[in-house]
Amino acid sequence: MRAGVFGGTFNPIHKGHLMVAERVLHRFSLDRIYIVPCRVPPHKFPAFLAPAAERVRMIQLALPADVRYCLSDIEIQREGRSYTIDTVDHFNTRILPGATLFLIMGMDAFLEIHTWKRHRRLLETVQPVVVSRKVDGGGMQAGDDVARMDGYIRARLSAAYRYEEETSCWQRATGNKIHLLPIRPIDISSSQIRRRIKAGKEIHDLVPPTVNAYIETKELYR
């Protein structure tokens, strides 16, 4: 079993999130990909966080009718702040024991992973997939992203990682891997959506129609 864990506030979920999920699903031949909304983010403080039940419902409305896409409310049900290592431990012991787990995140989040709770154990347990929005004309990741990650990995994580250009992957002799996945830039963010709603502007081009209708019905982010 190969599964992806894609966490975040999803405040709200949008087309960019879904594009990333689709790319990771196919690039790493995943059997499942879990969207995991957090209850209280330990490293991120959005100006307005919609109630957990509303964010969960928007995810349910947004996910494709494909059994490989799953919603997990494990962090919503857990009290207190949402730490990734606790979520990963839950997947490894209760949901998918023995599975190969891929942890999906953006570049900014990865470059702070050394500050995360039990980050060394986390890197031994999952394979991070770092999504980069910088691509060159040929569709490959820009060299500065590789250089940034390489410098960070060696300085903050371990000098034992070696970069493999063909697979865009850093690997240790112990088998630990960190992947870089380039995607074509898409100018969508949850904060941008919230600002547009507050300004009375349309967001139908940024979110799935079902999510747009739900936000309008519930008058969220106004």
Side-chain angles (χ1 to χ4, degrees):
M1 171 69 73
R2 295 166 65 85
V5 176
F6 189 5
T9 54
F10 299 104
N11 186 40
I13 190 169
H14 54 67
K15 290 181 179 179
H17 293 132
L18 297 174
M19 184 187 73
V20 168
E22 181 182 22
R23 285 292 307 278
V24 174
L25 186 78
H26 291 289
R27 168 65 179 80
F28 296 97
S29 302
L30 302 185
D31 299 293
R32 294 179 194 168
I33 185 164
Y34 288 85
I35 307 299
V36 188
C38 69
R39 181 185 181 98
V40 182
H43 294 279
K44 189 176 182 181
F45 302 94
F48 175 75
L49 187 63
E54 307 286 19
R55 289 183 286 124
V56 166
R57 182 56 183 152
M58 286 187 282
I59 293 170
Q60 291 172 331
L61 292 169
L63 292 186
D66 183 328
V67 295
R68 294 175 298 175
Y69 288 84
C70 305
L71 165 68
S72 171
D73 65 353
I74 174 59
E75 294 190 356
I76 298 296
Q77 298 300 325
R78 183 189 302 138
E79 294 294 332
R81 294 192 179 279
S82 301
Y83 292 102
T84 302
I85 186 62
D86 298 329
T87 299
V88 167
D89 283 347
H90 182 85
F91 271 88
N92 278 328
T93 58
R94 299 188 182 184
I95 299 179
L96 297 173
T100 300
L101 293 182
F102 295 81
L103 182 65
I104 305 155
M105 66 182 70
M107 179 68 73
D108 291 344
F110 177 73
L111 294 178
E112 295 181 347
I113 204 169
H114 67 284
T115 67
W116 292 19
K117 179 181 177 182
R118 290 184 285 173
H119 75 277
R120 296 192 183 282
R121 185 166 174 273
L122 178 65
L123 292 171
E124 294 171 355
T125 307
V126 299
Q127 296 184 33
V129 176
V130 183
V131 177
S132 167
R133 295 184 181 182
K134 294 183 179 179
V135 295
D136 62 24
M140 297 301 290
Q141 70 270 20
D144 59 340
D145 272 349
V146 176
R148 285 177 72 199
M149 283 188 61
D150 192 67
Y152 173 78
I153 289 169
R154 293 176 183 278
R156 294 287 191 174
L157 304 181
S158 172
Y161 282 98
R162 294 291 180 268
Y163 179 63
E164 299 176 0
E165 186 174 0
E166 289 186 2
T167 57
S168 298
C169 173
W170 284 261
Q171 185 168 352
R172 296 181 63 177
T174 53
N176 305 120
K177 294 181 180 180
I178 299 171
H179 305 273
L180 175 60
L181 178 65
I183 63 172
R184 293 200 174 278
I186 181 168
D187 187 21
I188 301 178
S189 70
S190 295
S191 59
Q192 173 195 12
I193 292 170
R194 296 194 302 272
R195 286 195 300 269
R196 285 179 65 167
I197 293 172
K198 197 170 185 64
K201 298 180 180 180
E202 295 289 334
I203 61 165
H204 63 271
D205 56 329
L206 306 179
V207 300
T210 49
V211 173
N212 186 36
Y214 188 83
I215 289 173
E216 288 184 353
T217 300
K218 295 291 185 175
E219 298 185 341
L220 297 176
Y221 307 114
R222 298 189 187 281

